[in-house]
Amino acid sequence: MVSPSVVHWFRLDLRIHDNLALRNAINEAENRKHILRPIYVIDPEVKNRIGKNRLRFLIQSLQNLDTNLRKLNTRLYIIKGMATVSLPKVFENWNVKYLSVQVDIDPEYVAQDEVIEKFCEENDIFVVKRVQHTVYDVQGILKKNNGSVPLTYQKFLSLVRDQQVRECIELNKKLSDCCKPEDIESNDYDIPSLEELGIEESCLIECKYQGGETEALNRLNMYMAKKQWVCAFEKPNTSPNSLEPSTTVLSPYISHGCLSAKLFYHKLKQVECGNRHSEPPVSLMGQLMWREFYYTAGAGTKNFDKMVGNSVCTQIPWKKNDAYLQAWAEGKTGYPFVDAIMRQLRQEGWIHHLARHMVACFLTRGDLWVSWEDGAKVFEDLLLDYDWSLNAGNWMWLSASAFFYKYFRVYSPVAFGKKTDKEGMYIRKYVSELKKYPTEFIYEPWKAPKSVQTAAGCTIGVDYPKRIVDHDKIHKENMQKMSAAYKLNKEKKSLKRPRSD
C-alpha cells in the first residue's frame, strides 16, 4: 500500500520564509510520519496565457524554490495539467490525507478551490487554508466594514489602523528522513524548461530581474539597508523614466509570493521606528497599503475585473478600436514617451508605477477612448508583477471608472515626461529610431522640419509613426464624454433609489 502523504500546494507563495501553510504541512507530516510532497501545478498551455518574461520569471522562481526545499530534505513536484483534472488523480495515487494551501481571491483560484475542496471532502482529505498573500485578512476587513468595500484609501487605512500583523514564520529545521519522499530523485516531476513550454529563451532579452525567493530577500535587504532613502521615499518624487529603476522593483517578487508581504511590512516598520519618515499614501508603506486596499476591494466586489456587473465601476461607453489598441500595445502611437514606456514593458516586463499612469490614461480617457479592460489584458500578458486585484483596481482608477473621479486631470504625453527627463534619454533608449533627434523635438518629433528628420535618419510617417491623435484636441473631447457618462450614471443611480414617500 502507498504510504500516506501530506501535500502543500504552492501557488502565489513561492517561498520558504513566512509560509504558514507550508509549516502546517511540515508539522502534520512530522507528527503523523507521513510523506511530505510540496507541489506546483503547471498547465502546459500556460505559454498562451502569460507573457514570455513572466513565464521566465515563474520558472526561475520555481527552480529557486526547489533548491530551497531540497535543503529541507524534500523537493518541489511539478504536476502538469489543469488542477481540477490532475490533482484528484495525483491525490489518489499518493494516498493524500492532508492538503495545505494559501487563500487567494483571484476568481481562477477560487473556482479551482471549490472543485478541489469538494473532492477532498468526499475522500476524507483534511484541508487547511491560510491567509498569507496579504498583510491583512481582507475578509476580516470587509466584515469590520459591515460587509461593504471601503471605497477610499483613507477609509481603508482607518479600518486597519489598529489591526495587529502577526510575526513572520521561519523554517529552520530539516524534514526527518521518514517524511522524505522515496521518489525525490525522480525526473517525472521536474520543472519544465522554457523550451519544453514552447519558448525559445534566446529570443528573450537578457534577464534584468531574476525570479525567486533568494533574489527577493537579497533585494529586500539591499533596500532596507538604505534607511535614509526608505524614510524619505515619496512615490511622486521618483522618476517614471529613469534609465535604472527609481523604486525597489520588489513588486514582481511580492506578486509571485517569492517575498512575503508581511515580511516587507515588518522590515519597513523596523526602519521607520524612531526615525522621521514619509507617510501613506506616498511612502513605501503607503505603496504596500495600496496593494491591501485593492485586494480588499477585489475580494468584496463581484466582477471586479470587468465594467459590466461591477458595482464600484462607472459605466462608460468606451469604443472598440483594435487598431488603436495594437498601436498602443506595440509602442507605435507616434508619441515617443508613451511608446518608450510600452516598449520597455514589452522588453523587460516592468515599468514604473507613474509610467503605468501615463499609458493607462492615454489609452482610456486621455486620448484613445479604449476600454480599460482591453488595457488590463495587455498588462496581464506583459507585466512581471501582474496581480489580478491590483491590475483591475489600478486600471479603474486611471480611467476614472472607480476610486478616482477627477477625470479632467489628464496626463500630457509630452509635458509629463519632460519633468524628469528633459533630454529624452529614456526615449532614446527605448525608441531607437529617434535617438539622433535634437532635444527640442524628442518629445514632439512631428514638429521637426523635414531637414532635421532627414539628418536624424528618421522620417515621421515612414520610419516612425505619425501621432495617432492630436492630444491637445482629443483630450478635451474625451473630457466632455466623461462628463456625459458621469451625468448619465448619476441619473441612473437616482432612479434606482427608493422613494421616501
Side-chain angles (χ1 to χ4, degrees):
M1 183 177 178
V2 178
S3 300
S5 295
V6 170
V7 166
H8 174 67
W9 181 9
F10 283 102
R11 294 196 301 213
L12 299 179
D13 58 334
L14 305 182
R15 63 181 185 272
I16 303 300
H17 77 272
D18 192 37
N19 196 322
L20 181 57
L22 174 61
R23 192 179 76 167
N24 290 156
I26 290 175
N27 289 344
E28 184 71 13
E30 290 280 359
N31 291 338
R32 296 184 177 275
K33 309 302 180 189
H34 289 177
I35 303 299
L36 176 68
R37 296 181 187 274
I39 68 170
Y40 185 87
V41 181
I42 288 185
D43 186 337
E45 295 301 311
V46 66
K47 66 179 180 181
N48 298 321
R49 297 172 54 234
I50 68 175
K52 298 176 182 179
N53 282 315
R54 183 148 64 97
L55 187 55
R56 175 170 63 180
F57 190 94
L58 171 62
I59 295 300
Q60 291 170 344
S61 298
L62 294 175
Q63 291 169 340
N64 186 242
L65 178 60
D66 181 56
T67 297
N68 292 336
L69 284 170
R70 288 178 186 272
K71 295 174 185 177
L72 299 178
N73 215 19
T74 185
R75 63 164 292 180
L76 182 64
Y77 289 79
I78 299 297
I79 309 300
K80 299 182 178 73
M82 291 179 60
T84 53
V85 175
S86 300
L87 289 189
K89 298 175 183 177
V90 169
F91 288 175
E92 287 181 350
N93 292 338
W94 283 350
N95 191 18
V96 173
K97 300 298 183 182
Y98 182 100
L99 170 68
S100 67
V101 66
Q102 76 168 30
V103 173
D104 290 306
I105 68 165
D106 185 324
E108 177 184 347
Y109 291 121
V110 172
Q112 284 183 358
D113 287 353
E114 291 176 353
V115 175
I116 298 303
E117 287 177 41
K118 185 174 185 293
F119 173 84
C120 289
E121 183 180 355
E122 293 170 349
N123 290 272
D124 295 323
I125 300 173
F126 191 74
V127 179
V128 170
K129 301 182 75 175
R130 298 296 185 190
V131 175
Q132 57 187 35
H133 194 48
T134 50
V135 175
Y136 302 105
D137 178 357
V138 296
Q139 294 297 338
I141 296 171
L142 291 169
K143 185 177 180 181
K144 188 176 181 180
N145 200 41
N146 299 317
S148 299
V149 171
L151 295 179
T152 68
Y153 183 76
Q154 292 303 323
K155 176 62 176 178
F156 168 81
L157 290 183
S158 72
L159 292 169
V160 301
R161 188 163 289 126
D162 300 323
Q163 294 263 3
Q164 293 295 314
V165 179
R166 69 160 173 79
E167 293 301 316
C168 295
I169 305 298
E170 292 298 332
L171 296 174
N172 298 316
K173 67 171 186 174
K174 276 190 173 183
L175 198 67
S176 61
D177 285 341
C178 66
C179 300
K180 179 180 178 180
E182 66 275 8
D183 55 354
I184 194 168
E185 300 301 333
S186 170
N187 296 327
D188 294 340
Y189 303 98
D190 283 356
I191 299 164
S193 66
L194 285 174
E195 284 73 17
E196 288 174 310
L197 292 173
I199 303 296
E200 289 188 32
E201 192 162 5
S202 59
C203 296
L204 299 175
I205 67 166
E206 182 180 356
C207 181
K208 195 164 185 176
Y209 307 108
Q210 180 80 18
E213 177 182 16
T214 300
E215 178 63 24
L217 293 174
N218 288 341
R219 197 171 190 91
L220 174 68
N221 292 332
M222 177 181 71
Y223 278 98
M224 293 303 101
K226 302 177 181 180
K227 294 185 178 181
Q228 187 175 358
W229 181 86
V230 170
C231 289
F233 182 93
E234 292 186 346
K235 178 56 80 65
N237 294 332
T238 58
S239 173
N241 47 4
S242 54
L243 297 185
E244 290 299 325
S246 57
T247 56
T248 65
V249 195
L250 286 172
S251 54
Y253 302 94
I254 294 176
S255 67
H256 283 80
C258 302
L259 176 64
S260 160
K262 286 186 176 69
L263 179 60
F264 188 27
Y265 173 90
H266 285 301
K267 290 289 187 181
L268 284 173
K269 281 292 187 183
Q270 290 172 15
V271 172
E272 291 179 348
C273 185
N275 296 311
R276 186 176 180 180
H277 57 82
S278 55
E279 297 285 349
V282 298
S283 63
L284 273 178
M285 181 64 78
Q287 306 312 300
L288 185 57
M289 290 302 101
W290 277 114
R291 179 177 186 269
E292 299 292 310
F293 169 67
Y294 282 134
Y295 257 86
T296 304
T301 307
K302 187 178 180 180
N303 298 315
F304 189 65
D305 59 347
K306 300 175 179 62
M307 182 178 76
V308 177
N310 181 342
S311 61
V312 303
C313 185
T314 301
Q315 304 299 297
I316 297 172
W318 308 108
K319 295 296 183 182
K320 190 72 174 175
N321 193 320
D322 292 337
Y324 276 12
L325 179 65
Q326 183 177 357
W328 173 84
E330 295 180 356
K332 295 179 180 179
T333 67
Y335 281 93
F337 185 40
V338 172
D339 292 344
I341 294 169
M342 293 306 297
R343 293 187 193 188
Q344 181 191 15
L345 174 58
R346 188 167 291 277
Q347 291 172 29
E348 300 173 8
W350 182 89
I351 50 177
H352 189 283
H353 189 66
L354 295 178
R356 303 179 197 204
H357 282 213
M358 174 69 255
V359 295
C361 180
F362 185 89
L363 180 69
T364 57
R365 62 188 169 88
D367 294 81
L368 303 187
W369 202 252
V370 173
S371 171
W372 63 265
E373 289 183 61
D374 290 333
K377 289 174 184 174
V378 173
F379 270 27
E380 179 179 357
D381 181 41
L382 299 179
L383 281 172
L384 287 179
D385 58 10
Y386 167 74
D387 187 303
W388 178 79
S389 57
L390 272 71
N391 194 46
N394 277 315
W395 272 98
M396 280 189 278
W397 179 291
L398 269 304
S399 63
S401 297
F403 312 118
F404 175 80
Y405 302 102
K406 296 180 180 179
Y407 59 83
F408 45 84
R409 293 179 59 181
V410 173
Y411 290 90
S412 165
V414 174
F416 186 53
K418 284 184 177 180
K419 291 179 181 179
T420 46
D421 182 22
K422 292 181 180 179
E423 299 296 318
M425 299 307 294
Y426 177 79
I427 291 172
R428 298 179 201 280
K429 178 178 180 179
Y430 292 103
V431 187
S432 58
E433 306 98 302
L434 301 174
K435 63 183 176 182
K436 294 183 180 180
Y437 261 62
T439 298
E440 62 182 301
F441 300 118
I442 193 67
Y443 282 90
E444 300 173 281
W446 58 87
K447 289 185 176 181
K450 289 292 184 182
S451 59
V452 172
Q453 296 182 29
T454 301
C458 178
T459 301
I460 303 305
V462 178
D463 305 300
Y464 180 71
K466 294 180 180 180
R467 54 179 175 164
I468 196 167
V469 292
D470 181 342
H471 171 76
D472 292 336
K473 177 183 177 184
I474 200 68
H475 88 274
K476 294 176 183 177
E477 295 177 5
N478 288 347
M479 277 196 287
Q480 293 176 351
K481 293 179 185 176
M482 288 296 293
S483 178
Y486 271 42
K487 183 178 180 181
L488 182 59
N489 274 265
K490 186 176 180 180
E491 290 173 352
K492 287 181 177 179
K493 285 184 178 180
S494 65
L495 290 173
K496 289 182 180 179
R497 293 193 189 110
R499 295 177 62 179
S500 57
D501 58 356

